[in-house]
């Protein structure tokens, strides 16, 4: 095969124990924890969670520097459990959904909150707020074969050692199998896809010079530094 342009850089995530996971689409769930929906001014009983996407190039590995993005002065952290899809599917039943899962990671749905707020106000799409270089830091992945299903456990994020977000995976409104099933009715899930499953309360701004750590019980910690 001869390509007519340079082949773009392949995005990947390291796997605990060895190997690389090739990253394809990045799906995200909005307002999947009631306390976060409330802090953003919404009623989770009236508005169910929903989906949006980020480009694969927004992946940033643990230990790397996050470049503070342009055109924003209010970038927020949202710590999230990340699902790595190992096998594709469409219209997947809830009871079959876990068959698609390769493993788990800890991610941060970085958000240009000022640009997102402007998009909401003007009823425009969210990409300007959610999609940019380094918008999706993610830890190394742990295969589900090694850890089993994660349905509960602490999820937290600290900035310079101060805990800002502290929740539990069991607070998710749509549980992981339900997220996968619903996504697969809207989109064609494929191997290599990631799903960021929503954030608990406590989102807030990051600043240049910050050291951010994100954890989910049982998974590798995610650590990044925010730079110019
Ligand atoms: Mn989020």
């Amino acid at each position: 095969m001869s390509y007519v342009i340079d082949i773009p850089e392949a995005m990947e995530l390291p796997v605990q124990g060895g190997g690389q996971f090739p990253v394809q689409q990045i799906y995200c769930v909005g307002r999947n924890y009631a306390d976060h929906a409330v802090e953003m001014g919404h009623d989770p009983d009236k508005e169910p969670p929903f989906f949006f996407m980020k480009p694969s190039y927004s992946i940033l590995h643990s230990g790397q520097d996050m470049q503070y993005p342009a055109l924003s002065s209010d970038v927020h952290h949202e710590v999230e459990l990340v699902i790595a899809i190992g096998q594709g599917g469409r219209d997947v039943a809830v009871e079959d959904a876990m068959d698609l899962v390769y493993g788990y990671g800890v991610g941060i749905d970085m958000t240009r909150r000022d640009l997102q707020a402007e998009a909401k106000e003007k009823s425009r799409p969210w990409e300007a707020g959610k999609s940019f270089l380094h918008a999706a830091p993610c830890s190394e992945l742990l295969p589900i074969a090694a850890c089993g299903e994660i349905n509960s456990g602490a999820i937290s994020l600290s900035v310079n050692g101060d805990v800002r977000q502290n929740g539990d995976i069991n607070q998710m409104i749509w549980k992981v199998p339900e997220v996968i099933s619903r996504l697969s009715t809207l989109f064609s899930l494929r191997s290599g896809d990631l799903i960021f499953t929503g954030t608990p309360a406590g989102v807030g701004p990051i600043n240049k010079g910050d050291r951010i750590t994100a954890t989910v019980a049982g998974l590798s910690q995610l650590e990044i530094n925010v730079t110019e």
Side-chain angles (χ1 to χ4, degrees), residues 29 52 78 80 109 130:
V29 188
F52 58 93
E78 300 187 356
E80 314 203 354
D109 167 16
K130 292 291 192 177

Side-chain angles (χ1 to χ4, degrees), residues 156-173:
S156 67
L157 180 140
S158 298
V159 179
N160 302 322
D162 296 332
V163 177
R164 301 284 174 83
Q165 293 187 264
N166 194 9
D168 195 293
I169 299 299
N170 68 13
Q171 296 168 327
M172 287 170 56
I173 296 170

